[in-house]
Amino acid sequence: MAKRLSVLLLLIATAVTSSLAQGDWIRTGTGLGVEKVRLAAPDFKTTSGNSADLLKTFNETLWNDLDNAGIFEMVSKSFYPLAQPGQPNEVRLDAWANPPANAAMLAFGNLNVAGDDVNVLGWLYDVRNTGSPQVLGKQYREKATAENARLIAHRFADEIIFRLGGGITGIAESKIAFVSNRTGSKEVWMMDYDGAGQQRLTKDGSIALSPAFSPDGSRVAYVSFASGNADLAMYSLELGRRVAFPNLGGANTAPSWTPDSKLLFSSSMRSGDPEVFMAEASGSNPKRLTAYKGPDGQPSVNRKSGAQIAWVSGRTGLPQIYVMDADGANVQRITTEGYAVSPAWSPNGQLLAFSWIRHYGPGAPGGQDIYIMDTTSHQWVQLTHEGSNDFPSWSPDGRHIVFQSHRGGTDQIWTMLADGSKQHQLTSSGKNTQPTWSWK
Amino acid sequence: MKRTQKSSVVVAAALLAILLAGCAKKKPVATTPPPPPPAAPTASLSANPDAIEQGQSTTLTWKTDNATGVSIDAIGAVEPNGSRQVAPVQSTTYHLTAKGPGGTQEATARVTVAGRQAPPQISLTDEQMFAQSVKDVFFDYDAYDIRGDQQSALQSAAAFLKQHPTWRVTIEGHADERGSIEYNLTLGTNRAEAVKNVLVQQGVNPNNLRTVTFGKEKPFCNESNETCWQQNRRGHFVLNK
């Protein structure tokens, strides 16, 4: 394990030195070896007396967004100077640049409620650049609701992350779809990336499984048992309801999308044996890509190139992960032992996250954990070490992975940085499974 | 004094009119009377009959007024007025949403589906005979090949089904709680198909056999031990007739 990790670290180091432009994040998704920016983010101030609740929501959301971004070392609030700024003329740069704060960057501002609106002014300062410290100055105005306070905090956080994170767009406005049984039947739900705003999408009153956002974010493909059979189904986020999708016949499961909005799925429609199929987003022209006896399913297309498909096959016994070209050629086995399922390509198209019981059998050490593997070198890193973990899905920026974990005794949705750090739980009501992150 | 009161009433009435017209935003005062608000949609949905046996169908009929978009969950967008035959396999509440410029109206209709317990179409004797002769098939972990100890049960099932060539049967593939949701769905398909293949080889009409997979979604028991796991790794027969 330690040997493999060091090999991977060496690889990452090579990758970093050979690429000048962007940090290690975009190449590996792990951020190992990159120095994090020391960022101070004092609570925003207010002068209006009626904004305490919104201010609290805003400050918590902004801090969590920045803290979870994975590219900042947040300066502990106990090191902050006593006088904290709410606007530029209140900033004393040296107080932030010097010990104990030692900040490189300072995010600050104010939030006020005027009439029905909440007005937020936010700045980002480079505290060592005494000549012209301002990196960002933003103004936001929305109806004064808690939801909008969160939205503004997400947008300001994304601006900061974009400026300081190598030009990669932040994920604070991205969404996570998942399956929850909290209403008594398994339905597709959706939430913000930080777990806020959990809302039910489907109302089939049956078993819904396997949600997958379309690349443009307008639809969610899923599996519905409403007819008594496993059928592909489509939910329109624009119309707010299920829309028609043809019945393909046979059992159809595990839909996923290609970057050009075609559908991949597992289907038994022709041979009676589950094989990987590709069809138009409308469900028309289904085409078979695999032809082996045994279970073939859970296809995931390379999100960058669209040229390779990873999937799960039980052709040799326990399920293993395979990769093939998008036309079905060049089949290559990726895992060689244990029980490996749920492959998910990273946005940069170089890594697969997947779920693996590496040592399989009665009394074998270890559990079912999330791993990432470099598909070129086949080097891997284990990211979770507790409970049963499945269904990893990458954030649009490649810095985070959302997954399902049974570590607390029930299945819940968890999120972490792609190096395995900052693992925390996003759901708690009912059983929650099969999370999937939006493409943007 | 009186005059001031009167004029303030007039002003208040004018303001009220503006508000009623939906002019919360600042707009010039309109000289023509505002158009009446759009009529709210109405909707009704019924099922006839509203109680059926498994395998039978019923007719959903709906009527809406003042709606521009009408949809029924699990069916999708539909015409404003119409009817459709549906054959739910379990009791289902159909939910209609009619959207129009005047708002949204919902309507529901409940169809009760009698299960295997007492369907009049299948006599108790038939059911009992089926249950005695067509036994569920059990599988090893992560396997979908027919075990040696399950062969004789399948032979009796095949013989019985050949004696009843008009009976239709669904074979459900099930898996135990261990392993991935998705992989168990594909495994369930393979198990149901493996059972079907043996029956077809023995001469049962394939057109009478339907396969579905439930993976680990509909377990027969919920304990985390091998006894229960074995119960859940099965091909389960359901008589549709």
Side-chain angles (χ1 to χ4, degrees), chain A residues 186 203 209-210 225 228-229 239 241-242 251 253-254 266 268 272-274 293-295 298 312 314 317-319 339 341-342 360 390-391 434, chain B residues 71 73-77 89-90 95 99 106 141-142 144 178-187 189-190 193 210-214 217-218:
Chain A
K186 274 190 155 183
K203 287 183 279 186
L209 297 174
S210 320
F225 279 83
N229 185 39
L239 300 173
R241 62 172 171 81
R242 184 173 171 175
T253 58
S266 175
S268 64
D273 193 45
K293 186 167 156 49
Q298 276 196 293
V312 174
L318 290 174
Y339 184 112
V341 292
S342 307
Y360 189 82
D390 199 354
F391 298 105
Q434 298 192 293
Chain B
S71 66
D73 287 358
I75 292 179
V89 294
Q90 58 193 36
H95 177 242
K99 284 183 181 158
E106 299 182 328
Y141 178 71
D142 194 57
Y144 57 91
R178 294 170 297 169
S180 186
I181 293 170
E182 294 290 357
Y183 189 70
N184 278 320
L185 283 170
T186 52
L187 196 57
T189 301
N190 279 115
E193 289 287 337
R210 172 175 171 261
T211 59
V212 299
T213 177
F214 284 105
E217 301 301 322
K218 278 189 153 186

Coordinates of all heavy atoms in Angstrom, one line a residue, chain A residues 186 203 209-210 225 228-229 239 241-242 251 253-254 266 268 272-274 293-295 298 312 314 317-319 339 341-342 360 390-391 434, chain B residues 71 73-77 89-90 95 99 106 141-142 144 178-187 189-190 193 210-214 217-218:
Chain A
K186 N -39.0 4.6 -2.7 CA -37.8 5.1 -3.2 C -38.0 6.0 -4.3 O -38.6 5.7 -5.4 CB -36.9 3.9 -3.7 CG -36.1 3.2 -2.6 CD -35.1 2.2 -3.3 CE -33.9 2.0 -2.4 NZ -32.9 1.1 -3.0
K203 N -42.4 11.3 -8.2 CA -43.6 10.9 -7.4 C -44.2 9.6 -7.9 O -45.4 9.5 -8.1 CB -44.6 12.0 -7.4 CG -44.2 13.2 -6.6 CD -45.3 14.3 -6.6 CE -45.3 15.1 -7.8 NZ -46.3 16.2 -7.8
L209 N -34.5 4.3 -9.1 CA -33.1 4.0 -8.9 C -32.2 4.8 -9.8 O -32.7 5.3 -10.9 CB -32.8 2.5 -9.1 CG -33.4 1.5 -8.2 CD1 -33.1 0.1 -8.6 CD2 -33.0 1.7 -6.7
S210 N -30.9 4.9 -9.5 CA -29.9 5.2 -10.5 C -30.1 6.6 -11.2 O -30.0 6.6 -12.5 CB -29.8 4.1 -11.6 OG -29.9 2.9 -11.0
F225 N -39.5 1.3 -11.4 CA -40.2 0.1 -11.4 C -41.7 0.3 -11.4 O -42.5 -0.6 -11.0 CB -39.8 -0.7 -10.1 CG -38.5 -1.5 -10.3 CD1 -37.3 -0.8 -10.1 CD2 -38.5 -2.8 -10.6 CE1 -36.1 -1.5 -10.2 CE2 -37.3 -3.5 -10.8 CZ -36.1 -2.8 -10.6
G228 N -43.7 -2.3 -12.9 CA -43.4 -3.7 -12.4 C -42.2 -4.3 -13.0 O -41.7 -5.4 -12.7
N229 N -41.6 -3.5 -13.9 CA -40.3 -3.9 -14.6 C -39.3 -2.8 -14.4 O -39.7 -1.7 -14.2 CB -40.6 -4.2 -16.0 CG -39.5 -4.8 -16.8 OD1 -38.7 -5.6 -16.2 ND2 -39.3 -4.4 -18.0
L239 N -39.4 21.1 -16.7 CA -40.9 21.0 -16.6 C -41.3 20.6 -15.2 O -42.5 20.7 -14.8 CB -41.4 20.0 -17.6 CG -41.2 20.4 -19.1 CD1 -41.6 19.2 -20.0 CD2 -41.9 21.6 -19.5
R241 N -41.4 17.6 -14.0 CA -42.2 16.3 -14.0 C -41.5 15.3 -14.9 O -40.6 15.6 -15.7 CB -43.6 16.6 -14.5 CG -43.6 17.1 -15.9 CD -45.1 17.1 -16.4 NE -45.2 17.8 -17.7 CZ -44.9 17.1 -18.9 NH1 -44.5 15.9 -18.9 NH2 -45.1 17.8 -20.0
R242 N -42.0 14.0 -14.7 CA -41.6 12.9 -15.5 C -42.1 13.1 -16.9 O -43.2 13.6 -17.1 CB -42.1 11.6 -15.0 CG -41.6 10.4 -15.7 CD -42.1 9.1 -14.9 NE -41.8 7.9 -15.7 CZ -42.0 6.7 -15.3 NH1 -42.5 6.5 -14.1 NH2 -41.7 5.7 -16.1
A251 N -35.1 -5.8 -19.1 CA -34.7 -5.0 -17.9 C -33.7 -4.0 -18.4 O -32.7 -4.4 -19.0 CB -34.2 -5.9 -16.8
T253 N -31.2 -0.9 -16.9 CA -30.7 -0.3 -15.6 C -29.5 0.6 -15.9 O -28.9 0.6 -17.0 CB -30.3 -1.4 -14.6 OG1 -29.3 -2.2 -15.3 CG2 -31.5 -2.3 -14.3
A254 N -29.2 1.4 -14.8 CA -27.9 2.1 -14.7 C -27.7 3.1 -15.9 O -26.6 3.0 -16.6 CB -26.7 1.1 -14.6
S266 N -27.4 -0.5 -19.1 CA -27.4 -1.9 -19.1 C -28.8 -2.4 -19.5 O -29.7 -2.0 -19.0 CB -27.0 -2.5 -17.8 OG -27.0 -3.9 -17.8
S268 N -31.2 -6.0 -21.0 CA -31.3 -7.4 -21.4 C -32.2 -7.5 -22.6 O -32.8 -8.6 -22.8 CB -31.8 -8.2 -20.2 OG -33.1 -7.8 -19.9
G272 N -31.5 -11.4 -23.7 CA -31.9 -11.9 -22.3 C -30.8 -11.8 -21.3 O -30.9 -12.1 -20.2
D273 N -29.6 -11.4 -21.8 CA -28.4 -11.3 -21.0 C -28.1 -9.8 -20.8 O -28.1 -9.1 -21.8 CB -27.2 -12.0 -21.7 CG -26.0 -12.3 -20.8 OD1 -26.3 -12.7 -19.6 OD2 -24.9 -12.0 -21.2
P274 N -27.8 -9.3 -19.6 CA -27.5 -7.9 -19.5 C -26.2 -7.5 -20.2 O -25.2 -8.0 -19.9 CB -27.4 -7.7 -18.0 CG -27.9 -8.9 -17.3 CD -27.7 -10.0 -18.3
K293 N -21.5 -13.6 -22.1 CA -22.4 -14.1 -21.2 C -22.1 -13.7 -19.8 O -20.9 -13.6 -19.4 CB -22.3 -15.7 -21.3 CG -23.4 -16.4 -20.5 CD -23.4 -17.9 -20.9 CE -24.0 -18.7 -19.7 NZ -25.2 -18.2 -19.2
G294 N -23.1 -13.3 -19.1 CA -22.9 -12.9 -17.7 C -23.3 -11.4 -17.5 O -23.6 -10.7 -18.5
P295 N -23.4 -11.0 -16.3 CA -23.8 -9.6 -16.1 C -22.8 -8.6 -16.6 O -21.6 -8.7 -16.4 CB -23.9 -9.5 -14.5 CG -23.8 -10.9 -14.0 CD -23.1 -11.7 -15.1
Q298 N -23.5 -1.0 -15.5 CA -22.9 0.3 -14.9 C -21.9 0.9 -15.8 O -20.8 1.2 -15.4 CB -22.3 -0.1 -13.6 CG -23.3 -0.1 -12.4 CD -22.6 0.0 -11.1 OE1 -21.9 -0.9 -10.7 NE2 -22.8 1.1 -10.4
V312 N -18.8 -2.6 -15.6 CA -18.7 -3.7 -14.7 C -19.1 -5.0 -15.4 O -20.2 -5.1 -16.0 CB -19.5 -3.5 -13.4 CG1 -19.5 -4.7 -12.5 CG2 -19.0 -2.3 -12.7
G314 N -19.3 -9.4 -14.9 CA -19.2 -10.6 -14.1 C -18.8 -11.8 -14.9 O -19.0 -12.9 -14.5
G317 N -16.7 -14.3 -13.0 CA -17.1 -14.6 -11.6 C -17.5 -13.3 -10.9 O -18.4 -12.6 -11.3
L318 N -16.7 -12.9 -9.8 CA -17.0 -11.7 -9.1 C -16.9 -10.5 -10.1 O -16.0 -10.5 -11.0 CB -16.1 -11.5 -7.9 CG -16.3 -12.5 -6.8 CD1 -15.2 -12.3 -5.7 CD2 -17.7 -12.2 -6.1
P319 N -17.7 -9.4 -9.9 CA -17.6 -8.3 -10.8 C -16.3 -7.6 -10.8 O -15.7 -7.4 -9.8 CB -18.7 -7.4 -10.3 CG -18.9 -7.8 -8.8 CD -18.7 -9.3 -8.8
Y339 N -14.0 -7.6 -5.5 CA -15.3 -7.3 -6.0 C -15.3 -5.8 -6.4 O -15.3 -5.0 -5.5 CB -16.3 -7.6 -4.9 CG -17.8 -7.5 -5.2 CD1 -18.6 -8.6 -5.2 CD2 -18.4 -6.2 -5.3 CE1 -20.0 -8.5 -5.4 CE2 -19.8 -6.1 -5.6 CZ -20.6 -7.3 -5.6 OH -21.9 -7.1 -5.8
V341 N -17.0 -2.5 -8.4 CA -18.2 -2.0 -9.1 C -18.2 -0.5 -9.2 O -17.3 0.2 -8.6 CB -19.5 -2.5 -8.4 CG1 -19.6 -4.0 -8.5 CG2 -19.5 -2.1 -6.9
S342 N -19.2 0.1 -9.9 CA -19.5 1.5 -9.9 C -18.4 2.4 -10.3 O -18.0 3.4 -9.7 CB -19.9 2.0 -8.4 OG -20.9 1.2 -7.9
Y360 N -11.5 -10.3 -1.0 CA -12.9 -10.8 -0.9 C -12.9 -12.2 -0.3 O -12.1 -13.0 -0.6 CB -13.5 -10.8 -2.3 CG -14.9 -11.1 -2.2 CD1 -15.8 -10.1 -1.9 CD2 -15.4 -12.4 -2.3 CE1 -17.1 -10.4 -1.7 CE2 -16.7 -12.7 -2.1 CZ -17.6 -11.7 -1.8 OH -18.9 -11.9 -1.6
D390 N -20.0 3.0 -1.7 CA -20.3 2.7 -3.1 C -20.7 4.0 -3.8 O -20.9 5.0 -3.2 CB -21.4 1.6 -3.1 CG -21.5 0.9 -4.4 OD1 -20.8 1.2 -5.4 OD2 -22.3 -0.1 -4.5
F391 N -20.9 3.9 -5.1 CA -21.4 4.9 -6.0 C -20.7 6.2 -5.9 O -21.3 7.3 -5.6 CB -22.9 5.1 -5.8 CG -23.7 3.9 -6.1 CD1 -24.2 3.1 -5.0 CD2 -23.9 3.5 -7.4 CE1 -24.9 1.9 -5.3 CE2 -24.6 2.3 -7.7 CZ -25.1 1.5 -6.6
Q434 N -27.0 6.1 -4.0 CA -26.8 6.4 -5.4 C -26.7 7.8 -5.7 O -27.4 8.3 -6.6 CB -27.9 5.7 -6.3 CG -27.9 4.2 -6.1 CD -28.7 3.5 -7.2 OE1 -29.9 3.7 -7.2 NE2 -28.1 2.8 -8.1
Chain B
S71 N -50.7 16.5 -17.6 CA -49.8 15.3 -17.6 C -50.3 14.4 -16.5 O -50.9 14.8 -15.5 CB -48.4 15.7 -17.4 OG -48.2 16.3 -16.1
D73 N -48.7 11.4 -14.0 CA -47.4 10.7 -13.6 C -47.4 9.3 -14.1 O -48.5 8.6 -14.1 CB -47.4 10.7 -12.1 CG -47.1 12.1 -11.5 OD1 -46.9 13.0 -12.4 OD2 -47.0 12.3 -10.3
A74 N -46.3 8.9 -14.5 CA -46.0 7.5 -15.1 C -46.6 7.3 -16.5 O -46.4 6.3 -17.1 CB -46.6 6.4 -14.1
I75 N -47.3 8.3 -17.0 CA -47.8 8.3 -18.4 C -47.1 9.4 -19.2 O -46.5 9.2 -20.2 CB -49.3 8.4 -18.5 CG1 -50.0 7.1 -17.9 CG2 -49.7 8.5 -20.0 CD1 -51.5 7.2 -18.0
G76 N -47.1 10.6 -18.6 CA -46.4 11.7 -19.3 C -47.5 12.7 -19.7 O -48.6 12.7 -19.2
A77 N -47.1 13.5 -20.7 CA -48.0 14.5 -21.2 C -49.2 13.9 -21.9 O -49.0 12.9 -22.7 CB -47.3 15.5 -22.2
V89 N -49.6 -3.4 -12.2 CA -49.4 -4.7 -11.6 C -49.6 -4.6 -10.1 O -49.6 -5.6 -9.4 CB -48.0 -5.3 -11.9 CG1 -47.9 -5.6 -13.3 CG2 -46.9 -4.4 -11.4
Q90 N -49.6 -3.4 -9.5 CA -49.9 -3.3 -8.1 C -50.8 -2.1 -8.0 O -51.0 -1.3 -8.9 CB -48.7 -3.1 -7.3 CG -47.9 -1.9 -7.7 CD -46.5 -1.9 -7.1 OE1 -45.8 -2.9 -7.0 NE2 -46.0 -0.8 -6.8
H95 N -52.0 10.3 -10.8 CA -52.0 11.7 -10.4 C -51.9 12.5 -11.6 O -50.9 12.4 -12.4 CB -50.7 11.9 -9.5 CG -50.6 13.3 -9.0 ND1 -49.5 14.0 -9.3 CD2 -51.4 14.1 -8.3 CE1 -49.6 15.2 -8.9 NE2 -50.7 15.3 -8.2
K99 N -52.1 22.3 -15.9 CA -51.5 23.6 -15.7 C -52.1 24.6 -16.7 O -52.2 24.2 -17.9 CB -50.0 23.6 -15.8 CG -49.3 23.0 -14.6 CD -47.8 23.1 -14.7 CE -47.1 22.4 -13.5 NZ -45.8 22.0 -13.7
E106 N -54.9 19.7 -9.6 CA -54.5 18.3 -9.6 C -55.7 17.4 -9.3 O -56.7 17.8 -8.7 CB -53.5 18.0 -8.5 CG -52.2 18.8 -8.7 CD -51.2 18.6 -7.6 OE1 -51.5 18.2 -6.5 OE2 -50.0 18.7 -8.0
Y141 N -24.2 -17.6 -3.9 CA -23.8 -16.2 -3.9 C -23.1 -15.8 -5.2 O -22.3 -16.5 -5.7 CB -22.9 -15.9 -2.7 CG -22.4 -14.5 -2.7 CD1 -23.3 -13.5 -2.3 CD2 -21.1 -14.1 -3.0 CE1 -22.9 -12.1 -2.4 CE2 -20.7 -12.8 -3.1 CZ -21.6 -11.8 -2.7 OH -21.2 -10.5 -2.8
D142 N -23.5 -14.7 -5.7 CA -22.9 -14.1 -6.9 C -23.0 -15.1 -8.1 O -22.1 -15.0 -9.0 CB -21.5 -13.7 -6.7 CG -20.9 -12.8 -7.8 OD1 -21.6 -11.7 -8.1 OD2 -19.9 -13.1 -8.4
Y144 N -25.4 -17.4 -11.1 CA -26.7 -17.4 -11.7 C -26.9 -18.8 -12.5 O -27.9 -18.9 -13.2 CB -26.9 -16.2 -12.6 CG -25.9 -16.1 -13.7 CD1 -26.0 -16.7 -14.9 CD2 -24.7 -15.3 -13.4 CE1 -25.0 -16.5 -15.9 CE2 -23.7 -15.2 -14.4 CZ -23.9 -15.8 -15.6 OH -22.9 -15.7 -16.6
R178 N -26.2 -8.1 0.1 CA -24.7 -7.8 0.0 C -24.4 -7.4 -1.5 O -25.1 -7.8 -2.4 CB -23.9 -9.0 0.3 CG -24.1 -9.4 1.8 CD -23.4 -10.7 2.1 NE -24.1 -11.8 1.4 CZ -23.6 -13.0 1.4 NH1 -22.5 -13.3 1.9 NH2 -24.3 -14.0 0.7
G179 N -23.4 -6.5 -1.6 CA -23.0 -6.1 -2.9 C -23.8 -4.9 -3.4 O -24.6 -4.4 -2.7
S180 N -23.4 -4.5 -4.6 CA -23.9 -3.2 -5.1 C -25.3 -3.3 -5.7 O -25.7 -4.3 -6.3 CB -23.0 -2.8 -6.3 OG -23.3 -1.5 -6.7
I181 N -26.1 -2.3 -5.5 CA -27.5 -2.2 -6.0 C -27.5 -2.5 -7.5 O -28.3 -3.3 -8.0 CB -28.0 -0.8 -5.8 CG1 -28.2 -0.5 -4.3 CG2 -29.4 -0.6 -6.6 CD1 -28.6 1.0 -4.0
E182 N -26.6 -1.9 -8.3 CA -26.6 -2.0 -9.7 C -26.2 -3.4 -10.1 O -26.9 -4.0 -11.0 CB -25.7 -1.0 -10.4 CG -26.1 0.4 -10.2 CD -27.3 0.8 -11.0 OE1 -27.8 -0.1 -11.7 OE2 -27.8 1.9 -10.9
Y183 N -25.1 -3.9 -9.5 CA -24.7 -5.2 -10.0 C -25.7 -6.3 -9.7 O -25.9 -7.2 -10.4 CB -23.3 -5.6 -9.3 CG -22.7 -6.8 -9.9 CD1 -22.2 -6.8 -11.2 CD2 -22.7 -8.0 -9.2 CE1 -21.7 -7.9 -11.8 CE2 -22.2 -9.2 -9.8 CZ -21.7 -9.1 -11.1 OH -21.2 -10.2 -11.6
N184 N -26.4 -6.1 -8.5 CA -27.5 -7.1 -8.2 C -28.6 -7.1 -9.2 O -29.3 -8.1 -9.3 CB -27.9 -6.9 -6.7 CG -27.0 -7.5 -5.7 OD1 -26.5 -8.6 -6.0 ND2 -26.7 -6.8 -4.7
L185 N -28.9 -5.9 -9.8 CA -30.0 -5.8 -10.8 C -29.6 -6.7 -12.0 O -30.4 -7.4 -12.6 CB -30.2 -4.4 -11.2 CG -31.0 -3.5 -10.2 CD1 -31.0 -2.1 -10.6 CD2 -32.4 -4.0 -10.1
T186 N -28.3 -6.6 -12.4 CA -27.9 -7.3 -13.6 C -27.9 -8.8 -13.2 O -28.3 -9.7 -14.0 CB -26.6 -6.9 -14.2 OG1 -25.6 -6.8 -13.1 CG2 -26.7 -5.5 -14.8
L187 N -27.4 -9.1 -12.0 CA -27.4 -10.5 -11.6 C -28.8 -11.1 -11.5 O -29.1 -12.2 -11.9 CB -26.8 -10.5 -10.2 CG -26.3 -11.9 -9.6 CD1 -25.3 -12.5 -10.5 CD2 -25.7 -11.7 -8.2
T189 N -31.3 -10.3 -13.4 CA -31.7 -10.6 -14.7 C -31.2 -11.9 -15.2 O -31.9 -12.7 -15.7 CB -31.2 -9.5 -15.7 OG1 -31.8 -8.2 -15.3 CG2 -31.7 -9.7 -17.1
N190 N -29.9 -12.1 -14.9 CA -29.3 -13.4 -15.3 C -30.0 -14.6 -14.6 O -30.1 -15.6 -15.2 CB -27.8 -13.4 -15.0 CG -27.0 -12.7 -16.1 OD1 -26.4 -11.6 -15.8 ND2 -27.0 -13.2 -17.3
E193 N -33.4 -15.2 -16.2 CA -33.2 -15.8 -17.5 C -32.7 -17.2 -17.5 O -33.1 -18.0 -18.3 CB -32.2 -14.9 -18.3 CG -32.8 -13.5 -18.7 CD -33.8 -13.6 -19.8 OE1 -33.8 -14.6 -20.6 OE2 -34.7 -12.7 -19.9
R210 N -42.3 -14.5 -18.7 CA -41.8 -13.1 -18.6 C -40.8 -13.1 -17.5 O -41.0 -13.6 -16.5 CB -43.0 -12.2 -18.4 CG -42.7 -10.8 -18.1 CD -44.0 -9.9 -18.0 NE -43.7 -8.6 -17.5 CZ -43.8 -8.2 -16.3 NH1 -44.2 -9.0 -15.3 NH2 -43.5 -6.9 -15.9
T211 N -39.7 -12.4 -17.8 CA -38.7 -12.2 -16.7 C -38.6 -10.8 -16.3 O -38.7 -9.9 -17.1 CB -37.3 -12.7 -17.2 OG1 -36.9 -11.9 -18.3 CG2 -37.3 -14.2 -17.6
V212 N -38.4 -10.6 -15.0 CA -38.1 -9.2 -14.4 C -37.0 -9.4 -13.4 O -36.8 -10.5 -12.9 CB -39.3 -8.6 -13.8 CG1 -40.4 -8.4 -14.7 CG2 -39.8 -9.4 -12.6
T213 N -36.2 -8.3 -13.1 CA -35.3 -8.3 -12.1 C -35.6 -7.3 -11.0 O -36.1 -6.2 -11.3 CB -33.8 -8.0 -12.6 OG1 -32.9 -8.0 -11.5 CG2 -33.8 -6.7 -13.3
F214 N -35.5 -7.7 -9.8 CA -35.6 -6.8 -8.7 C -34.3 -6.5 -7.9 O -34.3 -5.8 -6.9 CB -36.8 -7.2 -7.7 CG -38.1 -7.0 -8.3 CD1 -38.9 -8.0 -8.7 CD2 -38.6 -5.7 -8.4 CE1 -40.2 -7.8 -9.3 CE2 -39.9 -5.4 -8.9 CZ -40.7 -6.5 -9.4
E217 N -33.9 -5.1 -4.3 CA -34.9 -4.1 -3.9 C -36.2 -4.7 -3.2 O -36.9 -3.9 -2.6 CB -35.3 -3.3 -5.2 CG -34.2 -2.6 -5.9 CD -33.5 -1.6 -5.1 OE1 -34.1 -0.9 -4.3 OE2 -32.2 -1.6 -5.1
K218 N -36.5 -5.9 -3.4 CA -37.7 -6.5 -2.8 C -37.4 -7.8 -2.1 O -37.8 -8.9 -2.5 CB -38.7 -6.8 -3.9 CG -39.5 -5.6 -4.4 CD -40.6 -6.0 -5.3 CE -41.8 -5.1 -5.3 NZ -42.9 -5.6 -6.1

